[in-house]
Amino acid sequence: MQTTEFLAAALAGLGTGLALIIAIGAQSAFVLRQGLHGDHVGLVVLVCLLSDVVLIAVGVAGVGQVLRAVPAMEAAARFGGAGYLFVYAALAGRRCLRARGGLHPSRGTALTTKAVLLAVLAVTWLNPHVYLDTVLLLGSLASVHGQMRWGFGLGAFGASLLWFTALGYGAAVLRPIFAKPQAWQLLDAGTAAVMVVLGVTMLARG
């Protein structure tokens, strides 16, 4: 019986995790760009996965419930997350409008390992939107499953594993398309639009 309940919780976590993560958010956009460039993909995917392990564990452990009980904390995360997304949208929009600037995969100098590491850490841990969805929302949903909440957390991590691995390494299939600078412009334009929509949605939650 417990095994069945654990699997049910894990499947619920997997479905919820996929629903939350399958979107070109700031973190996913960075992973996709690195995958298209073929630049330090393993490092980027690994950092994203390890970060999700920590964030999901914190939420499932009950911190999400505690933070949700403090309206000021949730509001700060919501407004901070929206602001972060608007800034990221502006940066993507600027890349789109620039005539040059490394839109073509072969242009520009590849980032150093340190630069990539700092960038993926920043796009993950400095993004309040990540805490709102991963710690607060997933944590609250996990609590519904009681003692099986860690099964829910395991399923949520499985969603992260599937998504970031597919996004980072599957991007190679799209490289012929992104050999054209116009494709990079469309990617940045789409990223900017999605970031704005997500930011407005976050503000509307209040």
Side-chain angles (χ1 to χ4, degrees):
M1 183 65 177
Q2 285 190 341
T3 301
T4 302
E5 292 176 351
F6 185 87
L7 288 176
L11 288 174
L14 178 65
T16 303
L18 287 173
L20 288 175
I21 203 172
I22 296 182
I24 300 300
Q27 188 185 42
S28 293
F30 182 81
V31 176
L32 177 60
R33 290 183 69 85
Q34 292 303 116
L36 289 169
H37 283 282
D39 185 18
H40 297 87
V41 179
L43 175 63
V44 170
V45 171
L46 180 61
V47 170
C48 289
L49 291 177
L50 291 178
S51 298
D52 269 11
V53 167
V54 175
L55 292 167
I56 292 171
V58 167
V60 173
V63 175
Q65 287 288 85
V66 174
L67 294 178
R68 188 173 287 278
V70 183
M73 292 291 292
E74 186 175 2
R78 181 160 50 85
F79 285 106
Y84 177 93
L85 292 171
F86 289 143
V87 170
Y88 199 94
L91 293 174
R94 186 181 68 173
R95 286 197 305 268
C96 176
L97 295 175
R98 289 173 64 180
R100 297 181 181 179
L103 292 176
H104 192 286
S106 63
R107 292 179 185 171
T109 303
L111 296 175
T112 64
T113 301
K114 181 179 179 180
V116 171
L117 178 60
L118 291 176
V120 69
L121 286 173
V123 82
T124 300
W125 291 95
L126 297 182
N127 180 4
H129 182 265
V130 171
Y131 299 98
L132 197 63
D133 275 355
T134 307
V135 177
L136 289 176
L137 184 54
L138 276 180
S140 297
L141 292 174
S143 67
V144 175
H145 295 273
Q147 294 182 343
M148 299 299 158
R149 66 185 185 279
W150 290 107
F152 182 92
L154 182 63
F157 173 70
S160 296
L161 179 62
L162 290 173
W163 175 246
F164 287 122
T165 301
L167 193 63
Y169 291 101
V173 179
L174 300 176
R175 283 177 191 163
I177 297 175
F178 283 87
K180 300 179 180 179
Q182 293 85 351
W184 287 88
Q185 288 180 304
L186 288 174
L187 173 64
D188 285 323
T191 298
V194 171
M195 295 301 103
V196 170
V197 171
L198 288 176
V200 171
T201 302
M202 288 193 71
L203 292 177
R205 288 182 181 180

